[in-house]
Amino acid sequence: MVESIYQIPTEVRDFAEKSVEQARKAFEGFAGAAQKALDTSGEVPFGLPNAKDVSVKALSFAEANVNAAFDLAQKLVHARDPQEVFKLQSEFVQAQLKAIQEQTKELGATFQRPTTKS
């Protein structure tokens, strides 16, 4: 069997893995602060119906999409060869396109839902 020329030193992989984890934690802090701000604020301005619901849903979609990108980065750090990198990237793009289609439908439905005031 031929050795892969795609050998990345362990130190580089470790550094990349730690960097991805640090970025994920930083984003989680940001997302948590944004969620807290939405939870403690009143209705989102501009008088748009369901604006707060749309904002909360959009934030949750953004979190899911960024977490998917972090998951991809984590997998790429451990990829054994360029073929695996291309496979992982292709799977990610396909999954994200599907997710974005679903998210768009869900946001549209939330926007069109009649508001109910208590």
Side-chain angles (χ1 to χ4, degrees):
M1 186 167 129
V2 177
E3 280 288 318
S4 172
I5 61 170
Y6 192 70
Q7 294 299 319
I8 296 176
T10 303
E11 297 82 14
V12 174
R13 283 187 192 266
D14 290 346
F15 177 76
E17 191 167 349
K18 287 176 186 171
S19 296
V20 169
E21 240 355 90
Q22 288 175 342
R24 184 188 300 263
K25 286 179 182 175
F27 176 75
E28 287 171 356
F30 165 78
Q35 185 66 49
K36 187 175 180 179
L38 279 174
D39 290 345
T40 60
S41 71
E43 189 64 28
V44 177
F46 309 119
L48 296 173
N50 299 319
K52 187 167 185 173
D53 291 342
V54 170
S55 296
V56 168
K57 199 168 287 281
L59 179 60
S60 77
F61 292 156
E63 287 182 65
N65 294 337
V66 170
N67 281 326
F70 282 132
D71 291 344
L72 171 65
Q74 199 75 42
K75 291 175 186 175
L76 291 175
V77 167
H78 297 285
R80 293 179 304 268
D81 54 45
Q83 290 80 10
E84 186 175 3
V85 169
F86 292 130
K87 178 180 179 260
L88 291 168
Q89 181 66 26
S90 176
E91 290 170 353
F92 171 77
V93 169
Q94 289 175 4
Q96 283 306 106
L97 286 174
K98 184 177 180 182
I100 289 169
Q101 287 174 337
E102 291 300 316
Q103 292 166 359
T104 301
K105 285 180 191 176
E106 204 171 320
L107 274 176
T110 301
F111 231 140
Q112 293 178 357
R113 190 176 61 229
T115 57
T116 55
K117 302 237 179 195
S118 301

